[in-house]
Amino acid sequence: MAEVKKKIKPGAIEAHAEELAIVVHYEVQEVSTQSDGSQKVISKEPGEKKISVKSLSEKTNVPLLATEIIEKCKLIHPSKAGQVEELLYQLQSRGGGGGADAKAKPAAKPAAASPAKSAAAAPPPPSNVAQSPQKPGQPPSTPSKKPPAAAGAPAPMLNGKPAPKAQSRLDAEAEERADLQARRQAQAMQIFKMQQKQYEQAYMNKLDEYIEGLYEEEMPKKVRATGMIAQLFRNTENFEVLLSHETLMQTLSRVLREDGKRSIDLCTNIISVFFSVSNFTQFHGLIMQNQVGALTMDLIDLEIKRTEHRASEENISPAMVAQKALEASQGQVTLSEREKKLLALIQKQDRLLYIAFYMLLNLSEDIEVERKMKKKNIVVYLVKMLERSNVELLILATTFLKKLSIYKENKETMSSCKIVEKLMKFVPVLNDVLLMSVLRLLHNLSFDHSLRDDMVKHGLIPKAVELMMVPRFQPVVLGLLYHISMEDKYKSLFTFTDCLNKMYDMLMRVQADLRNTPELIALAVNLTQNPRNAETMCEGDRFDKMMRRAFQTCDELMFKVLRNLSQQEGINIKRRFGPYVEQLVTLLRAPDITAELFVEVLGCLANLYIPEFDFLGLVRKHDLLTFLATYAQPGAVDDDILLEVVMFVGVLCNEGTAPLIVSSGLVTTLFQLMGDKKEDDEFVLQIAFTFHKFLLHDETRASLLTNTQQVVFYLVDLLQDKNKEVRRVADQCLDIIMDTDEEWAVQIRNLKFESFNQEWLDVVSQPAGGMAAHAGRQRNGYDDETEVDYSGGDGYYNIGDQRLVADFDDLGTNGGTWGPGDEGLQGGYEGNYDGYDEEELRQGYAM
């Protein structure tokens, strides 16, 4: 009589649409077990279970909460921990104050339009209407760190579609991982079915018979026995009986060890058994206990060597066989019997390698096990898989390599195997899943600068640019291009592709906050640092559209791109900012501007040295110097804002604004600031450059030299600075002072002499005792311990074994000169030196 049991089959897990809860779907099945061991589903009834979360704030430990949910809910398998975490993060981002309370809160009214944005979009106010300036001594109001509220902001758009937010992107990646896992499982099931075609249906009540077949001497009987056991392991309901068997797992591992090299079907059947078990983390210890991981690695090594041997002997590779099989399927060629057998063997080998690597991927969840795999060259074996043609095996290999690539040692091994060269043939490829897997692996590898060089060498930039507009690949491709753009030597290569045009279009299509597309804005910021790229971005009416877009959204990231454009040396790009300078100043003085936006706007203005611009009118209209003087006080604002203030003062200084700069007190303030920031090279350089601008005009030069007389001595000290640019600017400043003030010119010459000859001056200024002490250093090979004998009365003295002249005045009769009439040396020298020419005498001086 048939026995009927109820079984629960877990299904999908999802976040509740309204409540702070996770919903688990399941199915209640009535299963009838026949007398022969076969099972049949009689009825199915769907159901769901709601798991409520009491509170989910930003401080909640999401991974710990996910573990607790899995432990309490038997319907969720431990392998679903990552999916549960993603759902909890999704609920957290939705606003998880807590169940009913969160639902009861009324919807907030839209905030009023930001004054900063209104001021930016509107024309500048008339000159007779000005904001009341702060007093110079009063500390400025630091720009708010909180961004201004926006009224009814539209949803972010990218390429006409909603741009993915940070959390939705996590959801997309989690969904992609789930799809990959489902694809791998489907491929494994397909392999199982192909293996199962060779055998009849297996039954649990015949287990002992199958086990006895493992001890047969004939290989076909062993293969059949392993195939029947593999069938039983595909049903997880049989695990309790199979895994509790005393000798089954040990016998299978022994057969694999002893006979695995003799039959590829035997290997596939046994490894598929352990693969089925490896899908459950709690059974990994059982697999490792029987050393199946090491045996599998040995079998992989054997199959790779067989392939290499076949390729060397017959000059044919798996890729070549696959290509010929494809041509045969299209009727272009006909396969020979040898090629058919070879194709069948390669297909069997691919199935074995797929199951083997999939099992190792499951086991690599344990970092210690992964480390052991690394020692047995798992990375090398996986890279070799890239030479094969089986798409599913390629997807599995690239996925496994991506997991391993986060460790430096593995990445170095991949580099030595020339992985980039092997991956580039898959960019692009028709299979989207394989292409995405390859791009993600390349993205991981692109953190290494040497591998980035390989990618550029093999032409990745133009290939990746072609994929920029494909929504599915967009985040990964942009991230990959961003990593390459970090190298200054590669920035100019983007000019010769369509990247800048596509990047501009994407920037203009993103609505609201550019933070929703971090890879895009990061790439734009990097590329606009290059002069050629900057010129391309400003072609036609692009620049004006970007400026209007920046003022409409008040997005600090868009202003960061514009700031990069403004710092280019070409005057033509700077002049394009001219019509927008007043709007920039108006936005800068908006009361609710954020600190991030303040820095970017001020940075744009600090780069805009436009000779013909009326800076005097700008300063008077907006009382700009008083505004900047309040921010220039040490400690009033952050250093990044303070540095931009210094640079902007230098830009504003000209013949017309010089008297106003003096009256604002900025000359004295900047001198004090130089003393406070003397350890910061960037501050010293920018303040020195601003002083250079001050020295070009009479009023500011007089104030600098009169009220801050120490500035000259400070500039002289900077001539010895380790920074080359600081030395150059300081020297230019001193040259201007020397050209305009003769009294200072004399002092500066003396100070420069003292600065460059300080060591010599220290020596000669010492008293006699100090000179003797200084002379104690070893010179010309003699030291203080060498005995000097002055006892000779013939004008000579001895040092060691050498006899030296005591006084050069004794050498001749012409007051110490040596001429034809001298007899000091020549008189006692009877050698003939008339036979030497000038060149030979020179050579004789070379010591």
Side-chain angles (χ1 to χ4, degrees):
M1 183 177 178
E3 182 182 0
V4 179
K5 290 184 178 179
K6 284 190 176 183
K7 295 184 179 181
I8 298 177
K9 183 179 180 181
I13 309 171
E14 61 183 8
H16 197 282
E18 298 178 353
E19 300 180 15
L20 198 62
I22 292 177
V23 179
V24 182
H25 298 274
Y26 61 89
E27 191 177 73
V28 181
Q29 299 179 348
E30 287 190 356
V31 181
S32 173
T33 305
Q34 305 298 324
S35 57
D36 59 357
S38 61
Q39 296 181 342
K40 182 180 179 182
V41 178
I42 300 174
S43 64
K44 298 179 181 179
E45 183 180 350
E48 63 178 38
K49 180 177 181 180
K50 184 174 69 174
I51 305 172
S52 298
V53 182
K54 293 183 180 179
S55 63
L56 196 59
S57 63
E58 294 180 357
K59 297 181 179 179
T60 301
N61 188 333
V62 173
L64 183 62
L65 179 59
T67 304
E68 184 180 348
I69 290 174
I70 292 172
E71 289 176 354
K72 292 183 178 179
C73 181
K74 301 300 182 183
L75 293 173
I76 305 177
H77 191 270
S79 63
K80 302 288 186 181
Q83 186 177 353
V84 175
E85 286 184 25
E86 297 293 345
L87 293 174
L88 290 174
Y89 280 123
Q90 184 179 348
L91 292 173
Q92 188 182 51
S93 67
R94 189 192 294 173
D101 295 337
K103 292 173 60 181
K105 292 180 181 178
K109 295 182 179 180
S114 167
K117 296 182 180 180
S118 301
S127 57
N128 59 344
V129 179
Q131 296 175 336
S132 57
Q134 292 176 320
K135 296 180 181 180
Q138 181 180 358
S141 57
T142 305
S144 170
K145 291 286 184 182
K146 185 178 180 181
M157 302 291 286
L158 180 60
N159 292 335
K161 299 180 180 179
K165 296 182 180 180
Q167 186 59 37
S168 63
R169 178 169 299 174
L170 290 175
D171 291 341
E173 291 178 0
E175 184 178 352
E176 182 183 330
R177 288 195 297 269
D179 291 343
L180 268 177
Q181 185 175 0
R183 186 186 182 100
R184 291 197 297 266
Q185 288 287 352
Q187 176 65 16
M189 289 304 299
Q190 186 177 355
I191 293 174
F192 293 158
K193 289 178 180 178
M194 295 185 68
Q195 292 292 113
Q196 190 173 351
K197 289 179 182 179
Q198 306 175 35
Y199 317 108
E200 68 274 16
Q201 180 68 36
Y203 300 102
M204 280 295 297
N205 54 11
K206 295 183 179 181
L207 177 60
D208 292 337
E209 177 186 333
Y210 303 149
I211 295 177
E212 289 177 5
L214 297 176
Y215 295 92
E216 295 287 345
E217 292 296 331
E218 299 177 10
M219 183 56 65
K221 293 182 179 180
K222 280 189 178 181
V223 173
R224 177 185 176 278
T226 55
M228 304 303 282
I229 293 173
Q231 278 191 52
L232 298 178
F233 269 94
R234 282 164 211 156
N235 189 349
T236 56
E237 297 172 355
N238 299 330
F239 274 22
E240 184 176 356
V241 175
L242 293 172
L243 295 178
S244 61
H245 195 281
E246 295 180 357
T247 61
L248 177 58
M249 303 304 288
Q250 294 88 336
T251 304
L252 287 172
S253 62
R254 177 186 60 78
V255 172
L256 181 63
R257 185 182 302 107
E258 295 176 355
D259 301 321
K261 297 178 182 180
R262 298 169 56 191
S263 171
I264 193 169
D265 289 327
L266 180 77
C267 292
T268 305
N269 289 338
I270 296 178
I271 291 179
S272 66
V273 169
F274 290 102
F275 163 73
S276 299
V277 177
S278 71
N279 287 318
F280 301 90
T281 308
Q282 59 267 38
F283 299 135
H284 285 185
L286 177 63
I287 298 174
M288 300 307 298
Q289 182 180 344
N290 289 282
Q291 299 181 342
V292 177
L295 289 173
T296 304
M297 294 286 292
D298 293 339
L299 288 172
I300 290 172
D301 180 68
L302 176 63
E303 294 303 324
I304 290 174
K305 288 179 178 177
R306 283 175 173 169
T307 302
E308 292 174 348
H309 176 73
R310 188 183 305 116
S312 62
E313 290 290 327
E314 303 183 18
N315 197 25
I316 186 168
S317 65
M320 294 170 63
V321 175
Q323 179 63 31
K324 201 159 187 180
L326 178 61
E327 293 173 358
S329 65
Q330 297 173 351
Q332 299 177 9
V333 296
T334 303
L335 294 178
S336 65
E337 289 300 322
R338 173 60 181 164
E339 289 171 339
K340 289 179 181 178
K341 290 181 179 180
L342 195 56
L343 178 61
L345 178 60
I346 290 174
Q347 289 174 345
K348 283 188 176 182
Q349 200 175 49
D350 285 345
R351 290 196 290 268
L352 171 61
L353 292 171
Y354 187 90
I355 294 295
F357 279 119
Y358 198 170
M359 184 190 71
L360 293 175
L361 177 61
N362 289 341
L363 294 177
S364 66
E365 293 177 4
D366 187 340
I367 190 62
E368 291 299 326
V369 175
E370 184 177 305
R371 192 172 287 114
K372 292 178 182 178
M373 293 181 189
K374 186 259 179 186
K375 292 180 179 179
K376 292 184 73 68
N377 287 334
I378 183 71
V379 176
V380 176
Y381 298 152
L382 285 167
V383 174
K384 287 184 180 295
M385 292 302 102
L386 299 178
E387 299 171 2
R388 304 186 77 90
S389 301
N390 186 289
V391 174
E392 300 302 329
L393 182 57
L394 288 170
I395 294 172
L396 177 62
T398 50
T399 302
F400 204 162
L401 285 168
K402 180 173 73 72
K403 181 179 186 297
L404 296 172
S405 64
I406 62 176
Y407 296 103
K408 181 180 178 181
E409 299 85 353
N410 296 335
K411 192 165 56 177
E412 291 172 351
T413 305
M414 294 178 196
S415 178
S416 64
C417 294
K418 299 182 179 179
I419 187 173
V420 172
E421 181 180 350
K422 295 179 179 180
L423 289 173
M424 287 307 299
K425 64 183 178 183
F426 302 116
V427 182
V429 71
L430 292 178
N431 190 295
D432 286 354
V433 179
L434 175 58
L435 179 56
M436 176 61 83
S437 185
V438 170
L439 289 174
R440 289 198 181 279
L441 174 55
L442 286 170
H443 184 270
N444 275 16
L445 296 176
S446 65
F447 284 91
D448 184 274
H449 68 89
S450 63
L451 290 171
R452 286 200 297 268
D453 293 343
D454 288 344
M455 293 176 194
V456 176
K457 177 183 176 182
H458 290 92
L460 178 63
I461 293 179
K463 291 182 177 181
V465 168
E466 291 299 319
L467 299 170
M468 279 180 63
M469 303 304 287
V470 183
R472 179 175 183 178
F473 306 124
Q474 218 166 58
V476 183
V477 170
L478 290 174
L480 184 56
L481 292 174
Y482 161 69
H483 287 169
I484 295 174
S485 70
M486 291 191 297
E487 302 278 353
D488 289 337
K489 58 185 177 182
Y490 296 139
K491 287 184 172 71
S492 60
L493 298 181
F494 288 85
T495 312
F496 306 103
T497 69
D498 201 30
C499 179
L500 297 172
N501 296 329
K502 293 180 178 180
M503 186 178 70
Y504 169 80
D505 292 338
M506 293 166 69
L507 280 173
M508 300 308 290
R509 290 178 186 176
V510 177
Q511 297 181 5
D513 195 353
L514 281 170
R515 293 184 187 276
N516 294 324
T517 55
E519 297 89 359
L520 173 61
I521 191 62
L523 178 63
V525 169
N526 273 5
L527 292 184
T528 49
Q529 293 174 1
N530 179 269
R532 286 183 179 179
N533 295 337
E535 291 175 4
T536 304
M537 288 290 287
C538 294
E539 287 178 352
D541 60 349
R542 288 179 176 178
F543 178 82
D544 297 317
K545 289 182 178 179
M546 284 192 291
M547 289 298 300
R548 290 196 293 270
R549 177 66 183 275
F551 284 122
Q552 288 171 3
T553 61
C554 286
D555 193 322
E556 67 270 11
L557 295 178
M558 179 60 83
F559 275 102
K560 187 180 289 289
V561 174
L562 294 170
R563 180 181 176 183
N564 279 359
L565 297 177
S566 69
Q567 71 184 8
Q568 301 302 324
E569 295 182 1
I571 191 63
N572 291 331
I573 294 180
K574 294 183 184 295
R575 285 193 173 117
R576 302 196 69 163
F577 281 88
Y580 302 98
V581 171
E582 281 219 29
Q583 281 183 277
L584 289 170
V585 173
T586 304
L587 179 59
L588 185 72
R589 300 208 60 176
D592 61 344
I593 186 173
T594 65
E596 293 83 2
L597 181 58
F598 186 90
V599 171
E600 302 305 333
V601 174
L602 186 58
C604 288
L605 292 168
N607 293 326
L608 298 180
Y609 177 67
I610 308 173
E612 64 273 14
F613 189 81
D614 182 16
F615 284 111
L616 177 60
L618 183 72
V619 167
R620 286 176 172 171
K621 183 175 182 179
H622 296 277
D623 196 16
L624 201 51
L625 293 175
T626 304
F627 175 76
L628 293 176
T630 57
Y631 282 91
Q633 302 297 328
V637 290
D638 294 338
D639 281 357
D640 52 352
I641 296 178
L642 188 58
L643 182 63
E644 300 301 332
V645 169
V646 172
M647 295 171 64
F648 192 26
V649 171
V651 169
L652 293 176
C653 183
N654 57 31
E655 188 175 353
T657 60
L660 300 179
I661 291 176
V662 173
S663 62
S664 69
L666 280 169
V667 176
T668 306
T669 301
L670 292 188
F671 177 73
Q672 295 173 352
L673 184 61
M674 179 173 257
D676 294 340
K677 302 292 184 181
K678 60 184 178 182
E679 301 299 330
D680 191 320
D681 278 1
E682 188 63 29
F683 264 103
V684 172
L685 177 61
Q686 296 302 337
I687 294 175
F689 181 76
T690 303
F691 284 172
H692 178 269
K693 296 293 293 293
F694 287 171
L695 292 169
L696 294 174
H697 309 289
D698 294 339
E699 292 83 355
T700 47
R701 180 173 64 250
S703 176
L704 189 63
L705 297 179
T706 304
N707 301 330
T708 58
Q709 295 183 2
Q710 295 297 321
V711 72
V712 175
F713 302 99
Y714 199 94
L715 290 171
V716 172
D717 287 342
L718 291 182
L719 295 176
Q720 304 298 323
D721 195 272
K722 60 183 179 181
N723 190 303
K724 180 181 178 181
E725 285 299 310
V726 171
R727 296 196 302 269
R728 183 182 64 82
V729 175
D731 192 44
Q732 291 177 352
C733 291
L734 292 172
D735 288 345
I736 294 174
I737 298 174
M738 293 171 67
D739 292 341
T740 55
D741 192 315
E742 188 59 35
E743 182 179 348
W744 271 115
V746 176
Q747 293 188 49
I748 290 172
R749 290 191 190 96
N750 293 334
L751 289 171
K752 280 188 173 183
F753 179 83
E754 293 176 3
S755 176
F756 287 113
N757 300 278
Q758 189 62 48
E759 185 177 354
W760 180 79
L761 291 173
D762 290 344
V763 173
V764 299
S765 63
Q766 291 179 354
M771 288 289 290
H774 185 78
R777 298 187 311 174
Q778 182 174 342
R779 295 178 181 273
N780 299 327
Y782 306 112
D783 56 28
D784 293 341
E785 297 180 0
T786 303
E787 183 178 356
V788 182
D789 181 12
Y790 296 98
S791 59
D794 53 357
Y796 295 87
Y797 63 93
N798 300 322
I799 297 181
D801 296 333
Q802 299 189 41
R803 186 168 178 79
L804 304 176
V805 179
D807 193 341
F808 282 102
D809 290 340
D810 297 333
L811 294 178
T813 59
N814 295 330
T817 61
W818 182 12
D822 295 335
E823 298 180 354
L825 280 178
Q826 299 177 26
Y829 181 71
E830 298 178 358
N832 181 13
Y833 58 86
D834 293 334
Y836 295 99
D837 57 19
E838 184 178 357
E839 182 62 28
E840 289 174 322
L841 289 173
R842 279 206 194 97
Q843 293 177 357
Y845 296 145
M847 304 292 289

